[in-house]
Amino acid sequence: MGPVSAALCAATVNQQFPNVRFALMVGIGAGIPSLPKRDIRLGDVAISIPRDDHPGVLQYDFGKYEQDEFVQKGTLNKPPPILINADGALEEDEMMDESLLWEILEDITKRRGYARPDSDDVLFDPTFHHVNNGDDCSGCETSNKKIVSRPEREENCGQPVVHRGLILSGGGVVKNPKDRDRLCRGQKDAICFEMEAAGIADEIPCLVVRGICDYADTHKQDGWHRYAAAVAAAYAKAILLKFDGKEVEETRSMRETMQELEKRMSEMSNNVHDLKQKTNDAKEVLADIQGQTSATERKEILDWLTPIDYGHQQTDYIRRRQPGTGQWLLDSPEFQTWLKTVKQTFFCPGIPGAGKTMLTSIVIEDLITRFHNDPSIGIAFVYCNFRPQHKQKAEDLLASLLKQLAQGQSLPDGVKSLYDKHKDKGTQPLFSELSRTLYIVAAMYSRVFIIVDALDECQESDNCRTKFLSEIFNLQAKSGASLFATSRFIPEITEKFKGCPSREILASDEDIRKYLDGHMSPRRAFLRENSELQDEIKTKIIRATKGMFLLTQLHLDSLMGKTTEDDIRTDLEILPTGHEAYNQAYEDAIKRIEEQDVDGKKLAKQVLAWITCSKRPLNAVELQHALAVEACKPNFNEKRKPHIEDMVSVCYGLVTVDKESNIVRLVHYTTQEYFERTQSHWFPDAETNITTICITYLSFNVFEGGFCQTDDDFEERLQSNQFFEYAARNWGHHARKVLIISQALRQVVIDFLTSETKVNASSQGLLAIKRYSLHLGYSQKVPRWMSGLHLTAYLGVKAFMKLLLDIGKADVDSKDSYGQTPLSWAAENGHKAVVKLLLDTGKVDINLKDRWGHTLLLRAAENGHKAVVKLLLDTGK
């Protein structure tokens, strides 16, 4: 047909069918061999996918000769996003061996004349031409041995391979290898020649799909034409199956596009002088029109994937490193081999407190230093943590790896496609979607390093750890990634690394001595003046700790507080060793806390109780606010905030503050385990006290304003009341653990839950979640009105609901502004005990529908709450 006729045809289509939104340009073309970069074969598929240096299709014969050189002119439009995204989804399917292409092609090739040819696919040397006028190349194959040797295809043998890149379009048939190479004009991404796309691309937004039927040389490959056409048609159908009617409707039609262009042309003509003066602004507009992602949008998309930034933890850990420590691991033969070998795993298990996390940070720092100037090397890491496990599901960990690898590239299309698919629906990617996209992004690098610290702290619920590890191993198998991981000696974890190179993490005596040299800071004058005693302390701590870094820290902190030389020498003789030494060290620290003055002891126990029992890590300001709250008081008293240094010092080495994140935490996982085991002894009323503090805070007079009407107002509330977000989202979790409701707590609860404005303020704080930086209107997409009964049902606090029912201040079947009843909230969130309590009142309608037409039975079933579903069905209603 040629580009001119194709353009006339496209123009006619636009005139006759103005609601056309896009097109697929499906047919056959000539492949451009480019071994070893691309192994293009007959029957493969060529797709016009744009890159940074081309739009996907180029008219190779449009230009002019300048000084004996042909200079190409002009550029064609890129395919529309809907088609690029659909192709990206197909590419993901290919990587996961889930592509529909093969199934569709199989159906087509069953038809007569479209089967894959029996004739051999032969690529001849460019210097060897067809030897006769026959319809095939049998003579070529027998008369000359100039056949290009190509390796056998191992994967998907006999199935077409999809090639994505630049399609060259022009007015003539290219049938000579010399012309083929000349007309490519240095375009290294060129994969195919054809004759119509240049005429269509600027008339109708389109994606070009070509089945490869020859090699643009003098040889005869006519027997491949029908099969090549079948392959192109099969791929086109697979593309169409990747989007639904709604996506098509949201794509602008040609009429709408023309109207928009006319409007913009009119605006440009009216403002031509301003446009000339604002060239940079015009470039930005052009970039926006062409769909280029701005830096702001890029950050928004990456933050949408996950707000978690392990970089802060890495910075904090590496700052704590004593210079020179950990070098033994970097110099080890195992590490050096891992560093130089692709697709290898290096597993480093260790006992609690051996310094695994610090050594992980040293490994990450070494990799970043080595490869920071090489953009082809990808580095991604996660620090599994026992505390914020609600943010460390398998999906969160994969999303973090994907975010880090995507940061090292111009924003990958697969990541943008995920964002476009989910952002308007307010949903997050599925595990399978994250997995496919991670494979694609990892493939953009020549080498990828994945570092995972503390696998033992990765949660086991919902099979999280197994899912995550399995996915990392799959990624390694497909991309050749190098994996470094640490863990305690947990059998089910060590078994998964059986056969992999490994080395136990155990702090060397040299490292411990360097740590002691850097941290020996005597508080007492008698010790500062006695260097001999200081050396003895170092020697005996090294002997006692036996490679346990944490124990070194605890022993040193304990000894630095002693008031006489005799006390130090006595303790040096009985320094506890081994795993049980941690318990003794913690008990010694608690003993020192108990020996403080009354106020110091009280503050220490409050700090330790909050850190141990909080549902997520608290930063220093949040903890200050929590400790400053006075039960039953109506306002916050700024003067009651304890100083951060005091909060740390009264805990005698058990608490530390991360400088980067400002998180206040216990010094180690074993410290958390110790206090969880001994909570009933050290702070038995912690959950009651925390619940009282949270509800008191939410009852402050400042929240009488109720529901905030804008995002700005809501964010101002969060900023001005630093503990509001934690209290609103977590008071219910603490309340469910309260065993006995004290009189003080009872009154606080009743006052709060019967205050409409404060309940509405609290429910907004609970439900309004900003999922990414430009998430506009997020604070308004939650119920504007809820009663105390709705809120209690949502959180599943049976005791408080019973309290409201007993005082008769609740309408059990009332609807909130979303049309949901207390029963529907309890059912949706799987709170069986609350559902039963409401059913027992006999005053609820279990068939009531919310404003979306959903029954509470449907809500419970959708969320997988089988026990609640059974309870509702047992009512017989």
Side-chain angles (χ1 to χ4, degrees), residues 607-805:
V607 170
L608 292 170
W610 270 100
I611 298 176
T612 302
C613 300
S614 62
K615 298 305 294 182
R616 65 159 174 79
L618 296 169
N619 64 47
V621 176
E622 288 175 322
L623 185 54
Q624 283 179 302
H625 277 238
L627 296 173
V629 174
E630 294 178 272
C632 306
K633 296 287 185 178
N635 297 297
F636 183 73
N637 185 351
E638 188 78 21
K639 295 180 179 180
R640 283 184 53 82
K641 287 195 310 183
H643 196 281
I644 296 172
E645 288 185 13
D646 292 337
M647 295 190 315
V648 173
S649 65
V650 295
C651 294
Y652 282 95
L654 298 179
V655 168
T656 186
V657 181
D658 290 337
K659 292 182 180 179
E660 281 292 314
S661 63
N662 207 31
I663 294 293
V664 186
R665 62 175 176 84
L666 297 172
V667 291
H668 197 256
Y669 188 7
T670 55
T671 325
Q672 178 78 21
E673 290 177 323
Y674 171 80
F675 281 116
E676 286 178 353
R677 287 196 307 270
T678 60
Q679 178 181 337
S680 60
H681 176 70
W682 295 118
F683 18 85
D685 299 323
E687 297 295 354
T688 298
N689 294 335
I690 290 174
T691 302
T692 304
I693 294 302
C694 286
I695 295 178
T696 297
Y697 195 94
L698 295 171
S699 301
F700 282 165
N701 291 339
V702 70
F703 304 121
E704 285 284 5
F707 193 94
C708 293
Q709 302 302 312
T710 67
D711 287 349
D712 288 343
D713 289 346
F714 181 66
E715 287 170 11
E716 170 61 26
R717 171 173 285 173
L718 293 175
Q719 189 64 34
S720 301
N721 305 277
Q722 292 283 315
F723 190 60
F724 175 73
E725 186 263 352
Y726 181 88
R729 293 185 185 175
N730 295 288
W731 72 264
H733 296 291
H734 295 292
R736 288 196 296 270
K737 295 182 179 181
V738 172
L739 301 177
I740 299 174
I741 302 178
S742 65
Q743 186 58 38
L745 178 57
R746 183 180 189 276
Q747 193 56 51
V748 169
V749 169
I750 291 174
D751 290 346
F752 168 60
L753 292 177
T754 55
S755 170
E756 182 176 308
T757 54
K758 291 171 183 175
V759 165
N760 289 332
S762 176
S763 65
Q764 188 178 30
L766 168 68
L767 300 172
I769 300 174
K770 191 171 188 177
R771 300 188 184 278
Y772 45 93
S773 57
L774 296 180
H775 190 181
L776 302 178
Y778 73 99
S779 68
Q780 306 304 299
K781 296 174 182 177
V782 297
R784 289 176 170 269
W785 180 84
M786 294 179 87
S787 70
L789 205 62
H790 286 99
L791 185 56
T792 308
Y794 181 95
L795 294 168
V797 189
K798 178 185 175 183
F800 289 6
M801 173 163 286
K802 190 172 185 307
L803 187 60
L804 288 175
L805 295 175

Side-chain angles (χ1 to χ4, degrees), residues 440-548:
I440 291 171
V441 175
M444 295 178 175
Y445 291 94
S446 64
R447 183 89 186 270
V448 171
F449 291 93
I450 303 292
I451 301 91
V452 183
D453 179 55
L455 276 167
D456 54 291
E457 296 186 35
C458 181
Q459 65 182 28
E460 297 179 70
S461 59
D462 298 326
N463 210 26
C464 168
R465 186 165 63 204
T466 301
K467 266 176 76 176
F468 175 61
L469 260 181
S470 175
E471 200 54 45
I472 293 303
F473 287 139
N474 287 338
L475 174 66
Q476 183 181 47
K478 294 196 175 188
S479 70
S482 299
L483 171 63
F484 177 92
T486 69
S487 171
R488 294 191 195 186
F489 288 98
I490 307 293
E492 54 265 36
I493 295 177
T494 56
E495 180 64 27
K496 292 184 183 296
F497 292 92
K498 192 174 181 180
C500 297
S502 67
R503 179 154 181 167
E504 181 181 354
I505 297 292
L506 201 63
S508 68
D509 289 354
E510 182 183 356
D511 278 0
I512 292 178
R513 183 167 291 279
K514 286 176 181 176
Y515 175 84
L516 291 170
D517 287 342
H519 291 78
M520 179 74 74
S521 52
R523 302 169 199 162
R524 313 299 183 193
F526 80 89
L527 183 55
R528 283 198 298 271
E529 297 168 359
N530 192 337
S531 59
E532 183 180 335
L533 181 56
Q534 290 183 35
D535 288 338
E536 185 178 348
I537 290 172
K538 294 174 187 177
T539 300
K540 291 194 172 180
I541 286 180
I542 292 171
R543 188 182 305 157
T545 54
K546 296 179 181 178
M548 300 168 73

